[in-house]
Amino acid sequence: MTTHTDVLVLGGGSTGCGIARDLAMRGLEVTLVERGNLTEGTTGRMHGLLHSGGRYAVSDQASAIECIEENEILREIAGHCVEETGGLFVQRPEDSDAYFQEKLEGCRECNIPARVLSGREAREVEPYLATDVKRAIEVPDAAVDPFRLCVANAADAETHGARIETHAEVIDLLRDGDDIYGVNVRHTSGPGKRNHTVAGTTEEITADYVVNATGAWAGQIGDMADLEIEVRPSKGVMTIMNVRQVDTVINRCRPKGDADIIVPHETTAILGTTDEEVSDPDDYPEEQWEVDQMIDTLSELVPILSEARTIRSFWGVRPLYEPPGTGTTDPTDITREFFLLDHAERDGVSGMSSIVGGKLTTYRAMAEEIVDHVCDKLGVRASCATADEPLPGSENIEALEAGMDDFGLRSPVARRSKQRLGSRASEVLETDAANPVICQCEGVTRAEIQDGISQSGTDLNAVRIRTRASMGNCQGGFCCQNMANELHPKYDEETVRTALDELFQERWKGERHALWGEQLSQAMLNYALHATTMNRDRDPASESGDLEYAAFDGGQRTAEPRADGGS
């Protein structure tokens, strides 16, 4: 099977989806391929910070300027994905006064709004800050939902005619001499809607131009065409707390180091992070000590963290890039700038360019730069509009109804549903059918689950990233089965059970690093509920129907009454 497109985008993270949207809005025929779900790579494994640039205002001012410019744009075009938390760079007694002043001056040099707060003023903003915090610098950091942002870009790209193909792994680049003209992809058996192809088949996709936007995996794509792309993947751990201990992004005001940021995100707080170079972005150790370090070190800023409950941890890989010959040994010193690699100019191989480095905050600018480049290559005269055109869900968000029970929901649920859906709230929530809450922790209703299923089919993890269902305190223990039930009767029992297993296993993957204290109790409760009510542990006695209830009640009764009426 062979298909052709004007531009082929490799990678379904924030940058790839942003590129697909920009290309499609400029009138080009676009196909995007991603080996897993959207956000499968770095985008879905970040701490949710929309950078003000303050983090890089001393060490990497070019990145800082990019961040503050894009921060302001994303607040306008993606309001439903951004929570304007604000941020504080906090100084402890042992932290350098000289560096604090450098940070303040660096912010001002980069046009990042910055204001000094005393320790007392900082604690008025965040009461759980340590009592010995000396002072803080206030900056316009924010929290961003990477899942919602990525999906919004992909959805808008499709609206403009793009083909978004998930579960399509690139297995080879098509190269004829010094020209790259497409890829071979293998369509896997991943869950979700299969709009274009059949799982298990391969497809040859040719294109007038190929864009490599695979982030930390860009080097692996380059290897397929004997191109050296010097990506240096760096892993980092994030740890999720059971509630929001802070409502403001808290940064440690020191030059660099692990465990120096807390990001409030929806109903949780995310602690981060480490920075350790790895050779393979798919295969690296996930160490318990890294989780312990997050809690121990960040408790110096917010002491209540030492007593709080941790619900899960996860690791992500940064797509760091350093131009050849720089020679940096510490990954924390590698610039967070992005780079466009024109392989025709750099390697003498036409037909493909790569976009590497950068951050989620700068994804739109990265997309604009490489789409300008592609249009120049193809002779297309069309300008970028992504800085001005709102993403789906963000149009006129300030005009959404102020009432919190417009759709017959409990008030907090209605408010959160509107925040998630933005301008699509009326379209999704105005229904004559019963609309109970399916996920109690996150306040996600049936209408939102069904809307997610209409976009994602049986892929409940894709429904999760659209709605946040199963991402709260119980980590799906009380709602995974409710989500799966919404697939019936459209899908058969085997399909529904498989979808439930995939969702529950994904939740467990992050929980296993936080099994102590109250979270261990929660995990055991989840296990007991699913084992005893649905036999999810596949107990053979239960499957045979020979379960002896005497094992649970001290011998007072057996599973079934005897045929002779005895007990």
Side-chain angles (χ1 to χ4, degrees), residues 431-452:
T431 174
D432 293 331
N435 190 23
V437 174
I438 299 297
C439 170
Q440 286 81 10
C441 293
E442 295 294 314
V444 184
T445 66
R446 173 176 288 164
E448 290 177 85
I449 298 294
Q450 288 292 346
D451 179 61

Side-chain angles (χ1 to χ4, degrees), residues 21-22 25-26 69-70 72-79 153 156 160 363-365 368 383-392 394-396:
R21 181 196 186 215
D22 197 341
M25 288 175 66
R26 300 198 206 192
E69 290 174 351
E70 290 302 306
E72 293 169 353
I73 290 172
L74 290 181
R75 290 170 187 264
E76 293 296 322
I77 68 165
N153 275 277
D156 204 38
H160 287 87
Y363 88 89
R364 193 214 60 83
E368 180 177 354
S383 58
C384 178
T386 59
D388 303 308
E389 290 292 325
L391 284 161
S394 280
E395 308 93 329
N396 301 317

Side-chain angles (χ1 to χ4, degrees), residues 118-414:
S118 67
R120 177 186 57 78
E121 290 171 327
R123 282 185 290 276
E124 288 176 356
V125 175
E126 285 300 335
Y128 288 123
L129 281 177
T131 56
D132 58 353
V133 162
K134 289 177 61 177
R135 52 183 175 169
I137 301 171
E138 186 178 57
V139 296
D141 283 337
V144 61
D145 188 319
F147 307 111
R148 204 176 301 164
L149 182 67
C150 194
V151 167
N153 275 277
D156 204 38
E158 285 187 318
T159 299
H160 287 87
R163 172 190 175 191
I164 307 294
E165 189 67 42
T166 58
H167 305 292
E169 181 181 8
V170 176
I171 56 177
D172 195 20
L173 284 180
L174 303 176
R175 177 172 171 174
D176 182 10
D178 290 333
D179 179 55
I180 293 171
Y181 63 93
V183 300
N184 277 321
V185 299
R186 177 171 51 234
H187 297 283
T188 66
S189 57
K193 295 201 302 186
R194 312 300 309 180
N195 290 328
H196 306 290
T197 53
V198 177
T201 63
T202 59
E203 179 183 3
E204 181 179 278
I205 305 175
T206 62
D208 297 332
Y209 207 83
V210 178
V211 175
N212 177 12
T214 54
W217 292 262
Q220 296 179 358
I221 294 294
D223 289 344
M224 295 179 183
D226 298 321
L227 299 172
E228 187 175 356
I229 303 173
E230 302 84 357
V231 176
R232 294 174 59 178
S234 170
K235 75 164 183 175
V237 65
M238 276 68 68
T239 297
I240 305 178
M241 310 310 290
N242 66 322
V243 296
R244 286 169 64 131
Q245 283 79 18
V246 295
D247 289 317
T248 308
V249 176
I250 304 297
N251 303 266
R252 182 76 174 263
C253 192
R254 61 185 181 189
K256 62 181 179 181
D258 294 336
D260 61 358
I261 188 169
I262 308 168
V263 183
H265 188 71
E266 296 280 349
T267 59
T268 63
I270 301 178
L271 316 185
T273 180
T274 48
D275 200 343
E276 181 181 347
E277 193 164 346
V278 296
S279 57
D280 186 341
D282 288 314
D283 185 15
Y284 50 84
E286 299 178 350
E287 305 284 359
Q288 183 65 52
W289 66 264
E290 297 174 284
V291 177
D292 296 339
Q293 182 186 40
M294 291 302 104
I295 298 167
D296 292 344
T297 305
L298 284 165
S299 293
E300 296 173 4
L301 296 182
V302 181
I304 196 175
L305 291 174
S306 63
E307 306 169 10
R309 178 173 144 213
T310 303
I311 60 175
R312 67 186 290 111
S313 294
F314 63 94
W315 279 255
V317 183
R318 301 172 186 85
L320 303 184
Y321 177 82
E322 185 171 64
T326 307
T328 300
T329 58
D330 186 339
T332 61
D333 292 330
I334 299 176
T335 181
R336 268 49 174 176
E337 284 185 84
F338 61 85
F339 297 86
L340 193 162
L341 309 182
D342 181 344
H343 295 298
E345 180 182 306
R346 197 189 76 149
D347 306 295
V349 177
S350 62
M352 185 174 85
S353 289
S354 298
I355 188 84
V356 291
K359 306 189 68 61
L360 180 135
T361 299
T362 60
Y363 88 89
R364 193 214 60 83
M366 294 169 71
E368 180 177 354
E369 181 163 324
I370 198 163
V371 173
D372 284 346
H373 173 76
V374 171
C375 287
D376 183 60
K377 292 283 187 180
L378 299 181
V380 173
R381 294 184 177 276
S383 58
C384 178
T386 59
D388 303 308
E389 290 292 325
L391 284 161
S394 280
E395 308 93 329
N396 301 317
I397 194 167
E398 72 282 351
L400 289 173
E401 296 88 347
M404 294 191 292
D405 57 353
D406 299 340
F407 304 106
L409 306 171
R410 288 180 295 168
S411 296
V413 175

Side-chain angles (χ1 to χ4, degrees), residues 36-54:
N37 288 323
L38 299 180
T39 75
E40 183 86 358
T42 302
T43 296
R45 295 181 170 275
M46 52 91 73
H47 46 41
L49 175 65
L50 183 66
H51 283 270
S52 65

